[in-house]
Amino acid sequence: MHQLIIFGPPGVGKGTQAEIIAAKLDLEHISTGAILRQAVSEGTDLGKKAKEIMDKGNLVPDEVMNGIVKETLSKISKSGFILDGFPRTVEQAEALSAIFDELKMNSVLVINLIADENEIIDRLLKRGRSDDTRETIMNRLKIYFESTKPVKDFYEKKGIVIDVEGVGDINDISEAILAEINKS
Ligand code: AMP
């Protein structure tokens, strides 16, 4: 049973790597960004609330996100999961710990993808998603450094973080992640 969180700045390649690792290890890929984009495209209440927030690169409120993740985690049918895009605040990380306790999910591993800031901005600008204007990108980076990066320290204190270089050949990075998972 693999219980993974993939962590790192926006644009580091979390989504790409999460998808590869999920396929290789038969895990549920839980991307909170994808869940929100789906809600936006379906025009649900959640989607209507989330759209404006996402377009500005701001964070959807913690209570909303915590609820979505709790519901998703309680329905896992595969041999584990990889969380991608959550937690993004220390409050979310604390809520997630409570959810893990409740669902008896122990031995969680955080894969921390490392990249430098210029590389990230470059990648985000090339990706060209509708919420990827320069202004939005700069806002998302600001939010990352202010609200999300402290999540790494939260997990660092628990001693469950493994660092993997996030820049380079996609397959090399996946191999490095898999090697670290096997070691743990
Ligand atoms: P992502 O695809 O992970 O980059 O997410 C796209 C957008 O969805 C983000 O810029 C946020 O507006 C929103 N979002 C995704 N995950 C979260 C989360 N855990 N907390 C708050 N907002 C989120």
Side-chain angles (χ1 to χ4, degrees), residues 10 14 31-34 36-37 50 53-55 57-62 65 84-89 92 127 129 131 140:
K14 293 188 293 291
S31 159
T32 48
L36 292 171
R37 280 188 288 279
I53 298 172
M54 292 169 78
D55 282 345
N58 289 327
L59 294 181
V60 172
D62 289 334
M65 298 313 300
D84 160 18
F86 185 96
R88 257 181 164 91
T89 64
Q92 291 180 10
R127 191 162 69 179
R129 228 165 54 186
D131 57 348
R140 281 169 54 208

Side-chain angles (χ1 to χ4, degrees), residues 3 5 65-66 69-70 73 81 83 86-110 151 153-160:
Q3 303 178 129
I5 296 169
M65 298 313 300
N66 297 343
V69 168
K70 185 171 183 184
L73 280 175
F81 58 84
L83 264 172
F86 185 96
R88 257 181 164 91
T89 64
V90 172
E91 287 74 15
Q92 291 180 10
E94 282 165 349
L96 185 60
S97 293
I99 296 169
F100 284 155
D101 285 347
E102 210 176 307
L103 300 176
K104 305 210 165 13
M105 291 170 163
N106 311 311
S107 61
V108 176
L109 205 61
V110 178
V151 171
D153 306 324
F154 176 90
Y155 287 123
E156 208 85 68
K157 279 185 206 133
K158 293 182 187 271
I160 58 169

Side-chain angles (χ1 to χ4, degrees), residues 7 11 22 38 40 46 51 60 62 77 81 96 100-101 110 114 124-125 130 136 141-142 147 151 161 165 177 179-180:
F7 186 84
Q38 175 80 19
V40 170
L46 168 66
K51 185 171 189 320
V60 172
D62 289 334
S77 56
F81 58 84
L96 185 60
F100 284 155
D101 285 347
V110 178
I114 306 165
L124 286 170
L125 286 170
S130 72
T136 308
L141 283 169
K142 181 171 163 270
S147 307
V151 171
V161 178
E165 182 54 60
I177 294 173
E180 289 292 340

